[in-house]
Amino acid sequence: MSFISQSLGRVKPSPTIAVSMKASELKAAGKDVIGLGAGEPDFDTPDNIKQAAIDAINRGETKYTAVDGIPELKQAICRKFARENGIDYKPSEIIVGTGGKQVLFNAFIATLDPGDEVVIPTPYWVSYPDMVLLGGGEPVFAETRIEDGFKLTPETLEAAITPKTKWFIFNSPSNPSGAAYSHDELKKLTDVLLAHPQVWILTDDMYEHLVYDEFTFATPAQVEPKLKERTLTTNGVSKAYAMTGWRIGYAGGPEEIISAMRKVQSQSTSNTSSVSQWAAVEALDGPQDFLAERASVFKDRRDLVVSMLNQANGLDCLTPEGAFYVYPSCAGCIGKTTEKGKKIENDEDFVTALLEEEGVAVVHGAAFGLSPFFRVSYATSTEALEEACTRIQRFCANLR
Ligand SMILES: Cc1ncc(COP(=O)(O)O)c(C=O)c1O
């Protein structure tokens, strides 16, 4: 019998972190590797936000805070939800945690009982199924298709829901596909959800500000206010404000679930960093104009990557609405052999050979529950992206 718990035995370590680590190891060993595996903006945290943290330290804001966040940050989050999403939350309906990750984790630990099902569209962000398993629930996968732009159809959602469904996880723009749902596309899903009162909606809006081509972001409680009483709206500053290391995520939702999540957090981490919380107040209340400037840089990179990948033999890449990922199909490469004689049977073989033979690190689609695809993160410099896509083109051209 293993000393390690059975519930942890069902969980796998994050495959995206594993790819980043392998790329770093190869780099450290002197290999010329371009990492397109990480889900992290290459931009720096804006100076006004850094200054707010420095000021907080100098004022002595260095002690424990309320478990669920300082009142000033909770009020700033309420203002953000009202201003950007048209949703009214009270401070008692807000929780702040150590990144979006902890907020989601709290929600599952606080609500799942054995046998509870959680509907997760594929391709999914790698942590959803494993967090559900850690909470004792059962992930139920609802597949999307490249033909539908990786967006869930109302029919597929309806078919995935059972009397045991407790949550539906919605993530737009999506990690890993970049797909984002318009107001009307989302309304079709909320109409399905209205008919199933046992299902709660967990929306992960982490990439809200990373949308391109005049796309307008929408979130479930805004599109269908009748669902607000069973929606947990989660978000954070990690991606939009380039604050991945500060560890601030938050959620708005009915008091009952927020207080249950606070209980989980009170017996694990307590509050997230006091200094980071003051920085997040400035992020949400301070100037927002840099968001559009950065989005325009991401849009140019997306267009470059999509165009170069579509010129590679055997790849097919959609132009997604948001996030900083593309999710090309490598169906046309399966069954072929690389220049160095490696047979490509699936998307994992494709990414492994690409890393070994051309030094480009991407993540295989199987890690996100939909094959044969791979995820490219374009949150890196244009020069690195050009070089990486040139190598991918060469790799594909050499397949026999
Ligand atoms: C879809 C999605 N949700 C949540 C997170 C977690 O963000 P944080 O770094 O704030 O924990 C990530 C990070 O990769 C993500 O891609």
Side-chain angles (χ1 to χ4, degrees):
M1 271 280 273
S2 168
F3 186 62
I4 308 302
S5 74
Q6 285 181 22
S7 63
L8 196 67
R10 305 207 294 166
V11 170
K12 56 184 185 326
S14 164
T16 44
I17 293 178
V19 169
S20 301
M21 276 168 59
K22 182 156 187 207
S24 307
E25 270 167 38
L26 287 170
K27 257 190 210 160
K31 207 166 178 263
D32 167 24
V33 172
I34 307 177
L36 306 182
E40 175 163 67
D42 54 322
F43 294 119
D44 197 6
T45 305
D47 285 341
N48 60 311
I49 299 176
K50 290 183 183 169
Q51 190 58 50
I54 294 164
D55 293 346
I57 293 174
N58 289 336
R59 282 199 312 275
E61 308 276 9
T62 53
K63 304 289 200 315
Y64 289 131
T65 73
V67 167
D68 51 356
I70 54 174
E72 291 80 355
L73 179 53
K74 295 212 285 182
Q75 281 149 13
I77 292 166
C78 291
R79 284 191 288 276
K80 177 259 177 265
F81 277 130
R83 180 179 70 235
E84 296 181 346
N85 310 114
I87 310 176
D88 279 325
Y89 285 120
K90 301 192 284 280
S92 58
E93 296 174 311
I94 301 291
I95 184 167
V96 179
T98 307
K101 222 170 196 175
Q102 189 191 17
V103 171
L104 298 171
F105 188 83
N106 287 342
F108 294 131
I109 297 291
T111 58
L112 292 178
D113 286 315
D116 285 344
E117 295 177 356
V118 178
V119 173
I120 306 176
T122 66
Y124 47 71
W125 178 45
V126 292
S127 293
Y128 298 141
D130 293 294
M131 284 188 184
V132 168
L133 289 169
L134 272 172
E138 298 298 329
V140 171
F141 299 112
E143 215 169 271
T144 68
R145 305 183 317 149
I146 188 168
E147 293 82 353
D148 300 321
F150 298 114
K151 291 179 203 173
L152 191 64
T153 63
E155 296 75 27
T156 309
L157 174 58
E158 180 73 56
I161 294 175
T162 76
K164 290 190 192 152
T165 308
K166 198 141 193 182
W167 286 103
F168 164 59
I169 302 184
F170 179 72
N171 174 219
S172 165
S174 150
N175 176 4
S177 71
Y181 294 66
S182 68
H183 179 284
D184 292 353
E185 287 166 339
L186 179 51
K187 182 80 178 57
K188 294 197 177 104
L189 299 184
T190 57
D191 284 349
V192 171
L193 294 160
L194 272 180
H196 297 281
Q198 82 282 17
V199 181
W200 278 60
I201 298 95
L202 191 156
T203 179
D204 180 349
D205 298 352
M206 192 53 89
Y207 294 91
E208 167 176 14
H209 290 292
L210 297 164
V211 290
Y212 317 117
D213 305 320
E214 327 281 292
F215 180 89
T216 304
F217 171 82
T219 187
Q222 166 193 33
V223 165
E224 182 46 84
K226 288 197 206 104
L227 289 177
K228 183 181 169 222
E229 62 189 32
R230 51 186 168 104
T231 297
L232 187 69
T233 306
T234 73
N235 208 321
V237 293
S238 297
K239 312 285 174 169
Y241 297 89
M243 292 176 70
T244 46
W246 298 76
R247 311 311 300 134
I248 296 282
Y250 56 85
E255 266 174 36
E256 186 190 3
I257 183 169
I258 294 294
S259 78
M261 290 164 66
R262 183 169 55 231
K263 198 178 191 184
V264 174
Q265 190 162 305
S266 74
Q267 298 297 15
S268 54
T269 59
S270 292
N271 63 277
T272 188
S273 152
S274 56
V275 174
S276 296
Q277 291 188 60
W278 283 102
V281 171
E282 174 64 16
L284 296 178
D285 279 349
Q288 305 290 308
D289 32 328
F290 73 95
L291 292 173
E293 287 157 28
R294 290 184 176 186
S296 126
V297 175
F298 278 131
K299 177 200 148 29
D300 290 346
R301 291 176 181 172
R302 176 202 63 179
D303 292 343
L304 170 82
V305 168
V306 169
S307 143
M308 288 189 77
L309 291 178
N310 278 324
Q311 288 165 44
N313 289 346
L315 300 187
D316 180 14
C317 187
L318 296 185
T319 302
E321 293 85 356
F324 38 63
Y325 310 104
V326 293
Y327 200 62
S329 162
C330 56
C333 303
I334 306 296
K336 296 195 171 164
T337 304
T338 69
E339 202 180 14
K340 296 201 173 144
K342 204 167 159 221
K343 181 97 192 269
I344 298 189
E345 314 260 20
N346 52 43
D347 52 27
E348 187 159 10
D349 291 344
F350 179 90
V351 306
T352 306
L354 180 65
L355 181 57
E356 285 168 357
E357 299 187 19
E358 288 286 358
V360 177
V362 295
V363 186
H364 51 295
F368 307 100
L370 193 70
S371 294
F373 296 90
F374 61 99
R375 187 191 77 175
V376 174
S377 163
Y378 55 84
T380 191
S381 74
T382 307
E383 301 76 62
L385 290 170
E386 268 173 6
E387 172 60 19
C389 290
T390 304
R391 293 187 194 183
I392 294 175
Q393 287 176 352
R394 186 167 60 213
F395 178 78
C396 291
N398 286 335
L399 294 176
R400 289 290 168 261

PDB file of all heavy atoms in Angstrom, residues 163-174:
ATOM      1  N   PRO A 163     -28.562  14.469 -13.701  1.00  0.00           N
ATOM      2  CA  PRO A 163     -29.029  14.929 -12.381  1.00  0.00           C
ATOM      3  C   PRO A 163     -27.881  15.101 -11.385  1.00  0.00           C
ATOM      4  O   PRO A 163     -28.018  15.797 -10.380  1.00  0.00           O
ATOM      5  CB  PRO A 163     -29.978  13.803 -11.945  1.00  0.00           C
ATOM      6  CG  PRO A 163     -30.428  13.154 -13.225  1.00  0.00           C
ATOM      7  CD  PRO A 163     -29.261  13.251 -14.161  1.00  0.00           C
ATOM      8  N   LYS A 164     -26.730  14.463 -11.664  1.00  0.00           N
ATOM      9  CA  LYS A 164     -25.597  14.574 -10.735  1.00  0.00           C
ATOM     10  C   LYS A 164     -24.690  15.765 -11.040  1.00  0.00           C
ATOM     11  O   LYS A 164     -23.708  16.005 -10.328  1.00  0.00           O
ATOM     12  CB  LYS A 164     -24.740  13.305 -10.832  1.00  0.00           C
ATOM     13  CG  LYS A 164     -25.397  12.065 -10.252  1.00  0.00           C
ATOM     14  CD  LYS A 164     -24.334  10.994 -10.206  1.00  0.00           C
ATOM     15  CE  LYS A 164     -24.870   9.635  -9.927  1.00  0.00           C
ATOM     16  NZ  LYS A 164     -24.010   8.603 -10.509  1.00  0.00           N
ATOM     17  N   THR A 165     -24.971  16.488 -12.108  1.00  0.00           N
ATOM     18  CA  THR A 165     -24.089  17.607 -12.473  1.00  0.00           C
ATOM     19  C   THR A 165     -24.173  18.711 -11.424  1.00  0.00           C
ATOM     20  O   THR A 165     -25.257  19.204 -11.122  1.00  0.00           O
ATOM     21  CB  THR A 165     -24.483  18.203 -13.844  1.00  0.00           C
ATOM     22  OG1 THR A 165     -24.554  17.147 -14.791  1.00  0.00           O
ATOM     23  CG2 THR A 165     -23.476  19.240 -14.300  1.00  0.00           C
ATOM     24  N   LYS A 166     -23.027  19.078 -10.899  1.00  0.00           N
ATOM     25  CA  LYS A 166     -23.003  20.154  -9.895  1.00  0.00           C
ATOM     26  C   LYS A 166     -22.499  21.464 -10.500  1.00  0.00           C
ATOM     27  O   LYS A 166     -22.984  22.531 -10.167  1.00  0.00           O
ATOM     28  CB  LYS A 166     -22.113  19.744  -8.728  1.00  0.00           C
ATOM     29  CG  LYS A 166     -22.350  20.558  -7.480  1.00  0.00           C
ATOM     30  CD  LYS A 166     -22.266  19.688  -6.242  1.00  0.00           C
ATOM     31  CE  LYS A 166     -22.786  20.379  -5.015  1.00  0.00           C
ATOM     32  NZ  LYS A 166     -22.644  19.528  -3.831  1.00  0.00           N
ATOM     33  N   TRP A 167     -21.492  21.349 -11.369  1.00  0.00           N
ATOM     34  CA  TRP A 167     -20.895  22.548 -11.952  1.00  0.00           C
ATOM     35  C   TRP A 167     -20.764  22.380 -13.461  1.00  0.00           C
ATOM     36  O   TRP A 167     -20.524  21.273 -13.956  1.00  0.00           O
ATOM     37  CB  TRP A 167     -19.465  22.765 -11.439  1.00  0.00           C
ATOM     38  CG  TRP A 167     -19.286  23.252 -10.054  1.00  0.00           C
ATOM     39  CD1 TRP A 167     -18.907  22.503  -8.972  1.00  0.00           C
ATOM     40  CD2 TRP A 167     -19.400  24.606  -9.589  1.00  0.00           C
ATOM     41  NE1 TRP A 167     -18.789  23.302  -7.870  1.00  0.00           N
ATOM     42  CE2 TRP A 167     -19.085  24.596  -8.222  1.00  0.00           C
ATOM     43  CE3 TRP A 167     -19.742  25.820 -10.193  1.00  0.00           C
ATOM     44  CZ2 TRP A 167     -19.098  25.753  -7.441  1.00  0.00           C
ATOM     45  CZ3 TRP A 167     -19.758  26.969  -9.420  1.00  0.00           C
ATOM     46  CH2 TRP A 167     -19.442  26.931  -8.061  1.00  0.00           C
ATOM     47  N   PHE A 168     -20.824  23.519 -14.147  1.00  0.00           N
ATOM     48  CA  PHE A 168     -20.389  23.610 -15.543  1.00  0.00           C
ATOM     49  C   PHE A 168     -19.259  24.633 -15.549  1.00  0.00           C
ATOM     50  O   PHE A 168     -19.439  25.759 -15.060  1.00  0.00           O
ATOM     51  CB  PHE A 168     -21.547  24.067 -16.437  1.00  0.00           C
ATOM     52  CG  PHE A 168     -21.108  24.543 -17.796  1.00  0.00           C
ATOM     53  CD1 PHE A 168     -20.403  23.696 -18.641  1.00  0.00           C
ATOM     54  CD2 PHE A 168     -21.404  25.837 -18.231  1.00  0.00           C
ATOM     55  CE1 PHE A 168     -19.978  24.141 -19.902  1.00  0.00           C
ATOM     56  CE2 PHE A 168     -20.995  26.285 -19.483  1.00  0.00           C
ATOM     57  CZ  PHE A 168     -20.286  25.432 -20.316  1.00  0.00           C
ATOM     58  N   ILE A 169     -18.093  24.227 -16.059  1.00  0.00           N
ATOM     59  CA  ILE A 169     -16.965  25.173 -16.112  1.00  0.00           C
ATOM     60  C   ILE A 169     -16.939  25.841 -17.476  1.00  0.00           C
ATOM     61  O   ILE A 169     -16.934  25.167 -18.509  1.00  0.00           O
ATOM     62  CB  ILE A 169     -15.607  24.469 -15.877  1.00  0.00           C
ATOM     63  CG1 ILE A 169     -15.605  23.751 -14.526  1.00  0.00           C
ATOM     64  CG2 ILE A 169     -14.469  25.476 -15.949  1.00  0.00           C
ATOM     65  CD1 ILE A 169     -14.273  23.114 -14.169  1.00  0.00           C
ATOM     66  N   PHE A 170     -16.917  27.169 -17.445  1.00  0.00           N
ATOM     67  CA  PHE A 170     -16.913  27.954 -18.680  1.00  0.00           C
ATOM     68  C   PHE A 170     -15.658  28.831 -18.676  1.00  0.00           C
ATOM     69  O   PHE A 170     -15.385  29.517 -17.688  1.00  0.00           O
ATOM     70  CB  PHE A 170     -18.182  28.825 -18.713  1.00  0.00           C
ATOM     71  CG  PHE A 170     -18.285  29.691 -19.928  1.00  0.00           C
ATOM     72  CD1 PHE A 170     -18.572  29.136 -21.167  1.00  0.00           C
ATOM     73  CD2 PHE A 170     -18.086  31.060 -19.839  1.00  0.00           C
ATOM     74  CE1 PHE A 170     -18.662  29.934 -22.299  1.00  0.00           C
ATOM     75  CE2 PHE A 170     -18.168  31.865 -20.974  1.00  0.00           C
ATOM     76  CZ  PHE A 170     -18.469  31.298 -22.198  1.00  0.00           C
ATOM     77  N   ASN A 171     -14.890  28.771 -19.754  1.00  0.00           N
ATOM     78  CA  ASN A 171     -13.629  29.535 -19.816  1.00  0.00           C
ATOM     79  C   ASN A 171     -13.511  30.206 -21.183  1.00  0.00           C
ATOM     80  O   ASN A 171     -13.286  29.550 -22.182  1.00  0.00           O
ATOM     81  CB  ASN A 171     -12.446  28.572 -19.574  1.00  0.00           C
ATOM     82  CG  ASN A 171     -11.084  29.217 -19.756  1.00  0.00           C
ATOM     83  OD1 ASN A 171     -10.165  28.606 -20.296  1.00  0.00           O
ATOM     84  ND2 ASN A 171     -10.925  30.439 -19.319  1.00  0.00           N
ATOM     85  N   SER A 172     -13.729  31.520 -21.191  1.00  0.00           N
ATOM     86  CA  SER A 172     -13.694  32.290 -22.435  1.00  0.00           C
ATOM     87  C   SER A 172     -13.054  33.640 -22.161  1.00  0.00           C
ATOM     88  O   SER A 172     -13.503  34.329 -21.239  1.00  0.00           O
ATOM     89  CB  SER A 172     -15.128  32.472 -22.946  1.00  0.00           C
ATOM     90  OG  SER A 172     -15.210  33.477 -23.927  1.00  0.00           O
ATOM     91  N   PRO A 173     -12.029  34.050 -22.940  1.00  0.00           N
ATOM     92  CA  PRO A 173     -11.270  33.282 -23.912  1.00  0.00           C
ATOM     93  C   PRO A 173     -10.623  32.057 -23.253  1.00  0.00           C
ATOM     94  O   PRO A 173     -10.284  32.098 -22.075  1.00  0.00           O
ATOM     95  CB  PRO A 173     -10.190  34.266 -24.395  1.00  0.00           C
ATOM     96  CG  PRO A 173     -10.709  35.615 -24.062  1.00  0.00           C
ATOM     97  CD  PRO A 173     -11.551  35.449 -22.845  1.00  0.00           C
ATOM     98  N   SER A 174     -10.471  31.032 -24.072  1.00  0.00           N
ATOM     99  CA  SER A 174     -10.035  29.746 -23.532  1.00  0.00           C
ATOM    100  C   SER A 174      -8.524  29.572 -23.551  1.00  0.00           C
ATOM    101  O   SER A 174      -7.860  29.920 -24.512  1.00  0.00           O
ATOM    102  CB  SER A 174     -10.673  28.631 -24.374  1.00  0.00           C
ATOM    103  OG  SER A 174      -9.863  27.484 -24.420  1.00  0.00           O
TER     104      SER A 174
END
